[in-house]
């Protein structure tokens, strides 16, 4: 069984910073590509950033240059450093992980989501 547990989000002023983390657990599972998605009310869930097991990263255009995704392979923790936050970054942020079991069967898993609100 795989579990993804995100850190608490919060209320941040425009221009501020916030770091999210996601602890992944699952006995005998290997975590491959991991990423962050976000969903604003009435909107679809969109990719924010992703990172491969080898460290390759991908960012959505709206966050490129402001957000940094990273991971601790040994501890199975995913991070998202968010700088220069804007009101339009307000959304529920979801951790995502592609995980393989010992038989190399792979599927995606989601965290429960954490709210980030950027407002003065």
């Amino acid at each position: 069984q795989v579990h993804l547990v995100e850190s608490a989000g919060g209320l941040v002023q425009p221009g501020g910073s916030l770091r999210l983390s996601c602890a992944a657990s699952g006995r005998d599972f290997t975590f491959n590509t991991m990423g962050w998605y976000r969903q604003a009310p009435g909107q679809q869930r969109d990719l924010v950033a992703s990172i491969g097991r080898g460290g390759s990263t991908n960012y959505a255009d709206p966050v490129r240059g402001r957000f940094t995704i990273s991971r601790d392979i040994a501890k199975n923790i995913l991070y998202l450093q968010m700088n220069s936050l804007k009101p339009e970054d307000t959304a529920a942020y979801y951790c995502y992980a592609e995980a393989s079991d010992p038989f190399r069967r792979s599927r995606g898993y989601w965290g429960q989501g954490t709210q980030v609100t950027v407002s003065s």
Side-chain angles (χ1 to χ4, degrees):
Q1 187 75 356
V2 170
H3 296 281
L4 303 176
V5 180
E6 295 130 340
S7 59
L11 173 64
V12 183
Q13 291 190 340
S17 297
L18 186 66
R19 189 176 82 157
L20 301 179
S21 63
C22 171
S25 62
R27 183 177 179 180
D28 296 328
F29 277 80
T30 298
F31 294 96
N32 303 309
T33 297
M34 299 183 74
W36 292 95
Y37 286 72
R38 67 185 182 186
Q39 187 171 22
Q43 303 295 318
Q44 66 181 21
R45 190 175 297 186
D46 291 325
L47 175 70
V48 175
S50 65
I51 183 167
R53 190 167 176 82
S56 60
T57 58
N58 179 46
Y59 293 93
D61 286 342
V63 307
R64 187 174 290 113
R66 299 187 297 122
F67 291 10
T68 301
I69 190 171
S70 61
R71 65 191 290 180
D72 184 325
I73 292 285
K75 297 181 179 179
N76 286 330
I77 300 177
L78 178 70
Y79 300 99
L80 184 68
Q81 178 67 44
M82 303 183 290
N83 298 328
S84 302
L85 283 160
K86 304 176 181 180
E88 50 263 45
D89 295 318
T90 295
Y93 283 71
Y94 295 87
C95 175
Y96 172 85
E98 180 185 283
S100 302
D101 67 14
F103 301 99
R104 298 187 179 181
R105 295 173 300 194
S106 180
R107 56 157 286 191
Y109 296 85
W110 292 95
Q112 79 280 6
T114 187
Q115 180 66 33
V116 174
T117 301
V118 184
S119 175
S120 56

